[in-house]
Amino acid sequence: MISTRISRRLLGTSAMLAGTVIAVVGLVPTLAAAEGGDIGPQGRLIVEKTVEGQTAATFGFHVTCDDGFDRTFTLDANSSKEFDGIWTGSVCVVTETDDGGADSTTVTPPDGTVVVDETGDAGPVTVSFVNVFDPPTTTTTTTTTTTMAPTTTTTTTEPTVLGVSITAPPAPLVVPAELPRTGNSTTPTLVTTGLALTVLGIALRRKATRSAATIR
């Protein structure tokens, strides 16, 4: 009776140990893959970042594989990151979560999906991202300058004495020495008539003087 109980206990204990071992064996690969461990055949995955143009941005990425491998990371321009411990045959998808404001992005392969091969002659699988940053647009402005000739204004100020303005006298009127002659002038006729009357008067006075003398 006692031996039967001991046998049952040993059998139960063995079953528990066997179940625990099986569970651990089932969990270890998954845990190892998630941590990048070295359980089972493994391959490598490389993510490359190439930048064309000028930028100081940092780029965000996320990689996930169907064996439980999952990583979030960042890359600088023209750099790369390598991951080991991914089970061979695993399908991994790499996405760029932050392109740094790039004008365009090219992914190879186009959907960022690869199958991890065993490390060997085939080498690691690679997903590459090329971001293009266009140069800034430059605007040229042409300015035309027109120079205008200065305008000079002359102001004449009359002199003042004790607050009273002194005005210069007007220019003297110049009278010509001889008035101009015209075709209608009567000056020569009057002069001639006056001279004739004067001579006649002198002659009459002389004649009167002589007659008076004779009478005496």
Side-chain angles (χ1 to χ4, degrees):
M1 192 72 172
I2 295 175
S3 60
T4 302
R5 291 179 179 177
I6 293 174
S7 297
R8 289 178 179 178
R9 287 180 180 178
L10 291 175
L11 181 61
T13 302
S14 299
M16 290 175 62
L17 290 175
T20 301
V21 170
I22 293 172
V24 170
V25 171
L27 289 174
V28 166
T30 301
L31 295 174
E35 295 297 329
D38 298 329
I39 301 300
Q42 59 180 328
R44 289 186 297 162
L45 169 65
I46 297 177
V47 180
E48 294 180 341
K49 162 58 61 179
T50 302
V51 170
E52 296 180 1
Q54 299 295 324
T55 182
T58 299
F59 308 90
F61 293 91
H62 179 247
V63 56
T64 181
C65 303
D66 60 2
D67 66 349
F69 185 87
D70 191 286
R71 289 288 188 279
T72 298
F73 59 98
T74 60
L75 288 176
D76 294 328
N78 303 314
S79 64
S80 64
K81 189 172 184 63
E82 182 175 328
F83 299 97
D84 295 321
I86 302 175
W87 281 23
T88 58
S90 298
V91 178
C92 298
V93 179
V94 183
T95 56
E96 186 173 36
T97 57
D98 184 359
D99 63 2
D103 294 290
S104 62
T105 301
T106 302
V107 185
T108 305
D111 58 357
T113 301
V114 291
V115 177
V116 178
D117 296 324
E118 184 176 358
T119 302
D121 295 338
V125 291
T126 302
V127 180
S128 63
F129 294 80
V130 178
N131 295 80
V132 178
F133 292 84
D134 296 333
T137 303
T138 302
T139 303
T140 303
T141 303
T142 303
T143 303
T144 303
T145 303
T146 303
T147 303
M148 302 295 293
T151 302
T152 302
T153 302
T154 302
T155 303
T156 303
T157 304
E158 296 180 351
T160 60
V161 176
L162 299 179
V164 180
S165 299
I166 300 175
T167 305
L173 179 62
V174 179
V175 179
E178 182 180 354
L179 293 175
R181 296 182 180 182
T182 61
N184 295 327
S185 178
T186 59
T187 300
T189 302
L190 294 176
V191 172
T192 302
T193 303
L195 289 177
L197 291 174
T198 301
V199 173
L200 178 59
I202 294 172
L204 289 175
R205 290 188 64 182
R206 286 180 178 179
K207 186 176 181 180
T209 301
R210 289 176 183 175
S211 296
T214 303
I215 297 172
R216 290 176 183 178

